[in-house]
Amino acid sequence: MKINKVVLIRHGQSEWNELNRFTGWHDAELSHKGKDEAKSAARLLKKEKFFFDYAYTSVLKRAIHTLQHVIDELNQSWLSIKKSWRLNERHYGALEGLNKNEVIEKYGEEKVMLWRRSFNITPPQISMKDKRFPGYDMRYSHLNTNEIPLGESLETTAIRVIPYWNKIIYPQLKKNKKILIVAHGNSLRALIQYLHKIENDKIVELNIPTATPIIVDFDEQNNPVKWYYLK
């Protein structure tokens, strides 16, 4: 049986990951560790002789730079790359920039875990006057105001991720193209939940590590059959 494989990678550790901050749509740089993680992920793919026809990523530099490290290591810098805000991390609303431990002290670990991992619970939202509102960033100037989030749950993140998969990425898979997606913990959680029909109350258990390649196998009819980490 012929198996098609899609590779998913969460970006390497960012400077805000290192500081234990909620990052969301903030455009944090990769940390030194994050760059090393990206290169290690690429070496794993190189060892297994992966090559790609298309790569997809968000418009946030920690994902873009992770992808650059990967394709440099694979000697595929010429690869066709598409970037979309629809693959961005979920927007953490009023939590963005705050230290996670301090938020836990204020609200309690149970509530914060629901904000971080549950399917449909949204963290406190920001206002459009908040400097963290993405509408002030020129990379989102083409969007309608109602498309720009003030804070997202996994459910609302999925509402933008899944159509992008179905309309842009999946048609290439059906043409037997080899695909690499470098994105974020929650945009990838949303995609994995959709592909593998994970129940809403089970998705809370899925925490995707940084820069660890995830292989999604598809059968001859392009149905997802399993996913696993490449280690």
Side-chain angles (χ1 to χ4, degrees), residues 100-117:
K100 292 175 184 176
N101 290 335
E102 292 174 0
V103 174
I104 287 171
E105 287 178 14
K106 183 175 180 179
Y107 294 102
E109 187 168 359
E110 185 176 349
K111 184 154 196 140
V112 174
M113 185 55 69
L114 286 174
W115 284 335
R116 293 185 65 191
R117 298 274 181 262

Side-chain angles (χ1 to χ4, degrees):
M1 183 176 72
K2 183 180 178 183
I3 297 290
N4 286 330
K5 297 179 184 292
V6 172
V7 176
L8 314 177
I9 303 177
R10 181 187 173 193
H11 60 83
Q13 183 196 64
S14 73
E15 291 178 346
W16 273 27
N17 291 145
E18 194 172 30
L19 294 171
N20 201 31
R21 292 185 177 189
F22 286 98
T23 310
W25 282 35
H26 175 76
D27 209 9
E29 299 274 1
L30 287 176
S31 66
H32 289 298
K33 179 182 177 182
K35 294 173 186 176
D36 289 341
E37 287 178 335
K39 294 171 186 176
S40 294
R43 286 192 288 271
L44 282 173
L45 294 171
K46 193 173 187 178
K47 181 181 177 184
E48 297 299 323
K49 296 181 169 55
F50 276 90
F51 67 94
F52 301 99
D53 298 302
Y54 292 101
Y56 301 87
T57 189
S58 72
V59 295
L60 297 170
K61 66 177 71 171
R62 59 192 186 273
I64 295 168
H65 292 174
T66 297
L67 174 58
Q68 288 173 344
H69 284 299
V70 170
I71 62 177
D72 282 350
E73 184 71 28
L74 294 177
N75 195 27
Q76 282 195 261
S77 298
W78 45 265
L79 193 64
S80 176
I81 298 169
K82 288 189 176 181
K83 305 180 185 76
S84 175
W85 70 277
R86 293 182 181 277
L87 294 176
N88 277 14
E89 178 59 289
R90 67 182 282 203
H91 195 295
Y92 275 104
L95 301 183
E96 289 206 355
L98 302 182
N99 180 277
K100 292 175 184 176
N101 290 335
E102 292 174 0
V103 174
I104 287 171
E105 287 178 14
K106 183 175 180 179
Y107 294 102
E109 187 168 359
E110 185 176 349
K111 184 154 196 140
V112 174
M113 185 55 69
L114 286 174
W115 284 335
R116 293 185 65 191
R117 298 274 181 262
S118 65
F119 179 70
N120 58 4
I121 297 177
T122 305
Q125 297 195 334
I126 57 171
S127 74
M128 289 184 183
K129 296 179 181 179
D130 193 300
K131 64 181 181 180
R132 295 168 291 180
F133 176 57
Y136 296 120
D137 190 320
M138 65 181 299
R139 82 190 83 181
Y140 307 115
S141 60
H142 65 290
L143 299 179
N144 294 325
T145 303
N146 61 3
E147 289 182 289
I148 300 174
L150 304 174
E152 295 177 296
S153 63
L154 183 62
E155 180 179 34
T156 50
T157 303
I159 287 171
R160 57 176 165 83
V161 171
I162 303 312
Y164 189 76
W165 164 265
N166 285 328
K167 294 176 185 177
I168 304 299
I169 303 177
Y170 187 59
Q172 298 303 327
L173 175 67
K174 290 197 289 186
K175 296 176 185 176
N176 296 317
K177 301 300 183 182
K178 308 301 182 187
I179 291 167
L180 170 63
I181 303 172
V182 179
H184 304 264
N186 282 290
S187 49
L188 295 179
R189 282 174 76 225
L191 182 56
I192 289 170
Q193 182 184 24
Y194 170 75
L195 292 176
H196 295 279
K197 298 178 172 59
I198 299 172
E199 297 292 335
N200 294 345
D201 61 346
K202 295 293 184 184
I203 198 63
V204 68
E205 300 167 9
L206 178 59
N207 179 30
I208 297 174
T210 51
T212 303
I214 297 169
I215 314 302
V216 184
D217 287 346
F218 292 79
D219 64 19
E220 290 178 317
Q221 287 73 45
N222 296 305
N223 298 309
V225 290
K226 67 175 180 177
W227 68 276
Y228 51 95
Y229 293 105
L230 184 66
K231 294 182 178 178

